[in-house]
Amino acid sequence: MYLCARKFLKLHIMDFKQEIARRRTFAIISHPDAGKTTLTEKLLLFGGAIHVAGAVKSNKIKKTAVSDWMEIEKQRGISVATSVMGFDYNNHKITILDTPGHQDFAEDTFRTLTAVDSVIIVVDAAKGVEAQTRKLMQVCRMRRTPVMIFINKMDREGRDPFDLLDELEAELGIGVRPLSWPINHGKRFKGVYNIYEKRLNLFTPNKQTVSESIAFNNVNDPDLENFIGEDAIRLRLELDLIQGVYDPFDRQKYLAAEIAPVFFGSALNNFGVRELLDCFIHIAPPPLPAQADERLIDPTEEAFTGFIFKIHANMDPNHRSCIAFVKICSGRFERHVNYRHIRLNKQMKFSSPTAFMAQRKETVEEAFAGDIIGLPDTGNFRIGDTLTAGEELHFKGLPSFSPEMFKYIENADPMKTKQLQKGIDQLMGEGVAQLFIHQNSGRKIIGTVGQLQFEVIEYRLLHEYGAQCRWQPLSLYKACWIESDDNDELTRFISRKHASLAKDKNGRDVFLAESPYLLQMAQNDFKHIRFHFASEF
Ligand code: G4P
């Protein structure tokens, strides 16, 4: 009775829809070293989630040698604590999803991007758009994820801001709209003019405190000279130019992923970060509808739905325990309530679902659409699994990209065949790498983004499953998912290229191209076959 009354009261105190509308779940992405960790830390400082700078450990795995395994394991441990960070700010519930810094784990980042409603990209002002940024943006574009850009390290000598904007547009394939503008850079960096709020923010290098901010509606006011001296003339000219060149900021275009608002600042000096955050909570989308194979699911639907986008294993190597990260797509999730695991068609309830607030993991009674929760697991979940209150649904969109490196995996200990099979199966389910089965030989091929993943697999097979593997070299250029509306041509292709065909984990046909030349030949010879470098098309 007491419980019922409490529940009833709770429901009314905080309207369900309002709870969802105040959520902002996003990822910060960048090329390594652009300042993602530093920016994350400063955002957490504003949210009161941490109190001193330096509290967030970088989850970068800097060393890649096998001998650094313990170090990697330690760092993997750290990254669990920081992979989801929640805090309250101005009556919004902010959740930041961290992504691995090391590019060998790029696939993990791609999957994390399926669980966010928007993204902040950090760009180094001196380096501009770098390889990893380009690749990550490709995923954002595929999913039409709204993007904001923070141009960092303005305290260092950087590039001309107009050049940077041009480069962002050209390289990232998205329109840009500056919402703040730097006043010089490097040693002469004086601050930024916040176009969005019409304020002048003066820069004082300091890692802990917030900069001085002055309301400045009209930059033609001669008072501007008193603050920034002769830079005032240039600032006025540049702001005029921005007015002339760029359309006024249109939130709908940002939400439609056509325009990325751009901010300038210095994360290390905590400069320009509050402006970014304040604008972010105003314009960034609340939880968005999610597409399942069956239908579009609105976050405000009452029935709970969600999907697993990340599995963090090895929490305790002796028990092979994992945490499955669930993005809640709709409704309310409750502790001790039965939910349906669609792939296994099994009812499951969870006694200790965790939320990640202020870097702490804590057991929660309930969670709402937009939230990320962690479910302790001992092998029931795979990446992409759907959980619902009962409805048969399959959430779409956990893309796999063509790996960059391929090796045959073989059993090095015939007594442990079963263990190896189980280990490979579970590690692939976790999304550590991709498995392809070669059609001609039936041999197993593991595809990765980088060498480090092979080391991870070998190490974990041995330590968690007691299995030993051996790698055989395989020189491939790309794995392409193939499809065609022309069945005859597809049949001809399959019989002609049989030696280069494999099946992915879902049994789909994949063409293993040995070189760019052979891929092009295949594309020329079979015009009605589409070759995709990603599994989602
Ligand atoms: P990442 O997560 O994107 O890989 O980058 P991270 O934040 O770790 O930053 C990379 C380096 O850039 C760090 O220096 C960091 O201090 C520095 N940095 C970040 N923001 C700014 C900025 O606004 N201005 C300047 N000048 N530097 C910035 P490091 O020497 O690699 O590491 P650390 O020893 O300082 O931790």
Side-chain angles (χ1 to χ4, degrees), residues 445-456:
I445 298 169
I446 303 284
T448 68
V449 182
Q451 175 58 29
L452 187 55
Q453 278 163 289
F454 291 115
E455 289 166 24
V456 170

Side-chain angles (χ1 to χ4, degrees), residues 164-324:
L164 277 170
L165 293 181
D166 286 349
E167 182 175 301
L168 289 170
E169 284 201 328
E171 299 263 339
L172 300 183
I174 190 166
V176 294
R177 178 41 160 117
L179 287 186
S180 81
W181 194 250
I183 304 159
N184 244 317
H185 52 85
K187 288 200 180 69
R188 288 153 295 123
F189 182 51
K190 296 222 172 106
V192 296
Y193 181 70
N194 185 335
I195 301 171
Y196 186 69
E197 290 178 6
K198 292 193 168 34
R199 296 183 79 86
L200 181 67
N201 294 345
L202 295 174
F203 175 68
T204 34
N206 186 328
K207 293 178 189 165
Q208 303 282 349
T209 57
V210 185
S211 55
E212 193 183 348
S213 168
I214 305 144
F216 226 101
N217 262 318
N218 178 9
V219 285
N220 289 320
D221 187 331
D223 204 21
L224 189 62
E225 264 82 355
N226 293 333
F227 292 104
I228 57 172
E230 60 200 29
D231 282 318
I233 302 168
R234 181 162 163 187
L235 176 64
R236 289 186 191 113
L237 282 174
E238 290 182 337
L239 290 175
D240 268 355
L241 196 58
I242 290 168
Q243 294 272 59
V245 173
Y246 298 99
D247 290 336
F249 174 64
D250 178 344
R251 180 172 180 240
Q252 288 315 315
K253 285 193 175 165
Y254 156 69
L255 294 176
E258 290 166 20
I259 286 284
V262 179
F263 284 81
F264 291 82
S266 166
L268 188 63
N269 292 291
N270 206 350
F271 186 79
V273 178
R274 183 188 284 280
E275 293 71 27
L276 178 78
L277 182 58
D278 283 343
C279 177
F280 173 82
I281 59 168
H282 259 119
I283 68 170
L288 298 170
Q291 186 68 53
D293 285 341
E294 294 78 1
R295 65 185 184 86
L296 192 68
I297 286 90
D298 193 85
T300 57
E301 289 179 25
E302 277 188 27
F304 158 76
T305 64
F307 67 91
I308 315 289
F309 66 95
K310 180 186 175 95
I311 293 177
H312 205 111
N314 217 2
M315 304 298 293
D316 174 356
N318 296 327
H319 296 95
R320 239 182 256 152
S321 59
C322 306
I323 286 194

Side-chain angles (χ1 to χ4, degrees), residues 29-40 42 58-60 62 98-99 101 122 124 150-156 207 265-271:
I29 56 178
S30 75
H31 190 85
D33 275 349
K36 178 170 64 75
T37 311
T38 314
L39 179 67
T40 306
K42 296 297 148 59
S58 164
N59 74 359
K60 275 185 290 184
K62 287 184 174 153
D98 194 16
T99 51
V122 185
D124 183 322
F150 183 72
I151 299 190
N152 190 30
K153 306 197 186 179
M154 291 308 294
D155 59 318
R156 288 207 186 148
K207 293 178 189 165
S266 166
L268 188 63
N269 292 291
N270 206 350
F271 186 79

Side-chain angles (χ1 to χ4, degrees), residues 337-356:
V337 167
N338 261 317
Y339 293 115
R340 183 173 162 208
H341 183 316
I342 300 293
R343 183 176 52 83
L344 301 180
N345 194 18
K346 178 172 158 183
Q347 293 291 323
M348 295 179 79
K349 57 181 163 192
F350 303 93
S351 56
S352 39
T354 47
F356 306 85

